[in-house]
Amino acid sequence: MSAPPSAALTAAADCGPTAILDVHRDIVGAHILPRLDGASLASAGCTSSQLYSLSAQDHLWTAACLSNWPSTAATPRLRGLIAAFPGGPRAFFAASFPLLLPTSASATITSPPPEELISAVDIHYAGKLIFSKVLETETFTGWFRCSPFRIDLLDPKDAVPTAIRHPDSASACCELAAEMTLSWVLIDPAGRRAANLSSHKPVAVERHWLTGEVQVRFSTVLFGGDKKSPEVEWAVVVTCFGSEVGEMHVGEVSLLVEDMEGNHLSGKDGLIILHRAFEGKRGNKRRDVEARKTYEGYLARKRERREKKLKNESTLDMVCVASGYLFLFSFALYLQLTKQNLFLLFFLLLFSKKILSITRQILKFFSSLFCKR
């Protein structure tokens, strides 16, 4: 005869709370751990040696990679490549999930830059996948290394339709920024390395007032290793436009690299920075919060650098003007303003702007030499 419900509850209460380690390991491995996402799975593995051994199984991390990045299952080559990582799918997840942190340019890298890159890109909106693609790019060619670093996933005519309504107002753009997430995992197949160059959530959303196109920007800031531009921005730009029925189409998804002057880095320079970033540190905080904070700091330093440059150019212009007029005044005194030389003085005044321009170029030349030293 079974005990009454009240007695059963009393017996359960007397036993106390059930710890996770009290559950049979087969139940934990088959029914609990597979329900966790990658970040939760990693946290669970840090709690005890038993959970660490259970959570280290490759099939759990393969499922976690597929859940975060559906593109990782797009090709047999990519699936085999992830399985061949030193440490398996778990190592791939650990390299691709966190945000990249700026790595010092003094870090010693002995291996050559990658000769091929594989891009695994996924875009979600409100948790639903709207775009996924894998692209292989050869980076050893002279065309790639001499041209600006840029990877385009879509041709101009290959727009991808979505079921999302195209944002037509500032509030709709804010909603798009809150709901859209993007992951751009770059993989070095030869070196078995990977890194995610996206900020996970947009750092900026801009709508063109005339065409209505919306540009969504994701960003990662890394050290450039150059005094001219100590920091560079790896920007993922997603361009969206509206259809005739008001639905949003994804028309462009591109990865590019810009320095603090707004110039595009070459493929060769971009590969050197990327090569260093593969071996660099990863963040351990919320990706979107940490990325936005880093991006805002980068914009502040970029603005300060631009203001300083304008101030230096303004000072240089004043020095040039003063030097030019001092030269004219000295020459006029030399001529002693005689009637015979009035025509020559008039000629010099007519071409004073040209003289000032030449003087400015000479001063800028010596200034650049001084800065290099």
Side-chain angles (χ1 to χ4, degrees):
M1 184 174 180
S2 61
S6 59
L9 291 175
T10 303
D14 292 339
C15 294
T18 301
I20 185 66
L21 296 179
D22 296 332
V23 182
H24 196 277
R25 59 181 293 121
D26 292 341
I27 297 177
V28 175
H31 299 285
I32 297 179
L33 294 181
R35 298 176 182 272
L36 302 180
D37 58 20
S40 302
L41 190 61
S43 300
C46 297
T47 57
S48 68
S49 58
Q50 180 180 345
L51 284 179
Y52 177 81
S53 62
L54 289 174
S55 63
Q57 300 177 71
D58 283 349
H59 73 277
L60 294 175
W61 289 102
T62 300
C65 291
L66 181 60
S67 175
N68 277 273
W69 312 296
S71 58
T72 55
T75 63
R77 183 194 179 192
L78 187 53
R79 292 194 298 270
L81 185 61
I82 294 174
F85 259 64
R90 181 178 183 177
F92 177 81
F93 188 92
S96 305
F97 183 78
L99 179 73
L100 275 177
L101 295 180
T103 303
S104 174
S106 59
T108 303
I109 304 296
T110 56
S111 57
E115 296 188 350
E116 182 187 14
L117 291 174
I118 299 178
S119 299
V121 184
D122 299 283
I123 303 178
H124 291 80
Y125 182 86
K128 296 181 180 179
L129 184 68
I130 62 172
F131 178 84
S132 182
K133 187 170 183 177
V134 173
L135 181 68
E136 299 178 2
T137 306
E138 294 180 345
T139 60
F140 62 88
T141 62
W143 175 85
F144 181 89
R145 300 205 172 191
C146 296
S147 303
F149 190 106
R150 184 184 178 97
I151 300 177
D152 294 307
L153 295 184
L154 293 174
D155 291 329
K157 297 181 180 180
D158 296 339
V160 178
T162 68
I164 307 167
R165 184 166 183 81
H166 185 67
D168 54 1
S169 63
S171 60
C173 289
C174 292
E175 182 180 354
L176 181 67
E179 297 293 344
M180 180 179 283
T181 59
L182 180 143
S183 173
W184 191 307
V185 180
L186 272 182
I187 304 167
D188 173 16
R192 299 294 191 273
R193 301 174 301 174
N196 199 329
L197 292 172
S198 173
S199 53
H200 185 61
K201 285 200 170 185
V203 295
V205 178
E206 298 179 354
R207 182 177 182 273
H208 195 279
W209 65 274
L210 182 60
T211 62
E213 289 186 347
V214 175
Q215 274 198 350
V216 187
R217 191 180 190 92
F218 302 80
S219 173
T220 296
V221 179
L222 300 175
F223 282 135
D226 187 0
K227 291 183 178 180
K228 183 179 178 182
S229 183
E231 294 177 283
V232 297
E233 178 192 3
W234 291 75
V236 179
V237 180
V238 180
T239 304
C240 307
F241 61 90
S243 65
E244 295 179 355
V245 295
E247 293 180 345
M248 187 180 76
H249 287 203
V250 179
E252 178 184 343
V253 184
S254 304
L255 173 67
L256 47 91
V257 193
E258 294 181 355
D259 62 14
M260 299 189 77
E261 304 294 334
N263 301 318
H264 294 269
L265 268 66
S266 66
K268 179 182 178 181
D269 295 335
L271 285 175
I272 294 174
I273 298 173
L274 180 63
H275 188 43
R276 190 166 55 242
F278 276 136
E279 305 294 339
K281 298 179 180 179
R282 267 68 170 172
N284 55 6
K285 301 178 182 178
R286 285 188 56 185
R287 291 174 294 173
D288 51 346
V289 176
E290 192 171 9
R292 178 167 289 278
K293 182 179 179 181
T294 304
Y295 180 71
E296 289 175 352
Y298 171 77
L299 289 183
R301 292 186 293 272
K302 186 176 179 180
R303 183 166 54 251
E304 181 181 354
R305 184 184 181 91
R306 183 169 59 249
E307 292 174 353
K308 184 178 180 181
K309 181 180 179 181
L310 291 175
K311 184 178 180 180
N312 291 339
E313 289 184 351
S314 177
T315 304
L316 184 60
D317 287 340
M318 293 178 63
V319 172
C320 291
V321 172
S323 302
Y325 280 111
L326 180 62
F327 170 76
L328 291 176
F329 181 73
S330 301
F331 194 73
L333 289 179
Y334 175 76
L335 296 177
Q336 296 180 356
L337 297 179
T338 57
K339 293 183 179 180
Q340 294 85 349
N341 297 316
L342 285 177
F343 176 76
L344 180 59
L345 180 60
F346 178 73
F347 177 80
L348 288 174
L349 289 175
L350 286 178
F351 289 90
S352 60
K353 291 185 177 180
K354 186 67 176 178
I355 295 173
L356 291 177
S357 177
I358 295 174
T359 305
R360 186 175 186 273
Q361 294 297 329
I362 294 174
L363 289 176
K364 286 187 68 176
F365 173 74
F366 284 106
S367 176
S368 62
L369 289 179
F370 177 76
C371 292
K372 289 181 180 179
R373 291 181 181 178

